[in-house]
Amino acid sequence: TEMITPNQVEGSFASKIKQKAMGEYLSNVASTFLQYRDTMQYGSIDSIRVPFVEEAKKALQRASNEERTIFKQARKQQSQQSTATKNNTKSTTTNNLPLLPKSYVLATILLAIKGDHTSVPLPFGIVRQRDMVRALGRIVTDATVDDCLVGAELLMIPNVSAANIGGDGGGDGGYGGLTEGDMLKSFPELVPLT
């Protein structure tokens, strides 16, 4: 038989605490998004099933790398858009307030979940706001099921525009709000929610 050292037990315990904290955090994020369900205009969902936890970890890492690349490109577009918007709003104002294009918050929640106690993905994906609500509700529940969360990541581009923060377009690394065109260009799988 193999002996388990105190460091291994301590490491396993720390891992469980981190896993539980991440699950609670994602559950809280999804709950917060649910509060704004009436303002959600686009959405999508994608899922895969794999037989082993190690495969799930690898699939999550691949998805994370792909999403990070896309988010990085979207941030670059957002920064360029912010610069163009600042230049254009100097001459286009109403009552001393700049006329800014409509902008969006963009978020991706990546989860790797194991076990039979978690929900099944939506069979037809996301086509309505209520589908997004259902998907977020499942994340709220599934992320906190004991010992089911294998890994997770939250990527987000907030709506930070000059009007929201008082003038300089900064606040979050100097990015302005993400426009609809830039969002749909970066994430073509998004569908309008009805």
Side-chain angles (χ1 to χ4, degrees):
T1 61
E2 192 174 315
M3 294 291 292
I4 298 175
T5 68
N7 287 344
Q8 288 173 318
V9 171
E10 189 175 291
S12 175
F13 182 69
S15 177
K16 295 275 186 202
I17 290 174
K18 288 178 187 176
Q19 183 183 34
K20 184 173 175 67
M22 178 56 88
E24 289 174 3
Y25 173 72
L26 286 173
S27 181
N28 288 337
V29 167
S31 293
T32 300
F33 288 158
L34 281 171
Q35 294 173 20
Y36 297 95
R37 65 182 160 264
D38 293 337
T39 63
M40 293 180 190
Q41 296 182 14
Y42 292 92
S44 70
I45 191 168
D46 191 15
S47 65
I48 61 168
R49 289 195 178 269
V50 293
F52 302 107
V53 171
E54 287 306 313
E55 286 182 46
K57 288 178 182 178
K58 289 177 185 175
L60 178 68
Q61 187 61 48
R62 276 191 307 273
S64 174
N65 290 339
E66 290 171 10
E67 287 293 308
R68 285 178 183 202
T69 299
I70 294 169
F71 266 76
K72 186 177 179 181
Q73 292 168 349
R75 281 280 200 182
K76 185 177 178 182
Q77 289 174 347
Q78 183 185 27
S79 179
Q80 292 167 348
Q81 179 66 29
S82 176
T83 301
T85 300
K86 282 182 197 176
N87 293 337
N88 290 337
T89 56
K90 290 178 182 173
S91 61
T92 312
T93 61
T94 304
N95 297 331
N96 297 327
L97 295 174
L99 298 175
L100 299 172
K102 186 176 186 179
S103 59
Y104 295 81
V105 172
L106 183 65
T108 294
I109 300 173
L110 301 170
L111 298 174
I113 295 178
K114 67 178 180 178
D116 296 330
H117 302 290
T118 57
S119 303
V120 180
L122 299 172
F124 302 110
I126 303 286
V127 292
R128 295 186 181 91
Q129 281 183 339
R130 68 178 174 211
D131 298 330
M132 183 61 73
V133 168
R134 190 175 307 133
L136 287 169
R138 289 179 178 182
I139 290 171
V140 168
T141 303
D142 290 351
T144 57
V145 173
D146 283 343
D147 203 32
C148 287
L149 187 64
V150 174
E153 186 166 354
L154 171 67
L155 300 166
M156 190 165 136
I157 299 177
N159 180 357
V160 180
S161 63
N164 292 343
I165 58 170
D168 67 355
D172 188 44
Y175 298 105
L178 187 65
T179 67
E180 184 175 25
D182 289 341
M183 179 184 64
L184 294 175
K185 181 179 177 186
S186 297
F187 298 89
E189 71 279 359
L190 291 175
V191 295
L193 300 176
T194 56

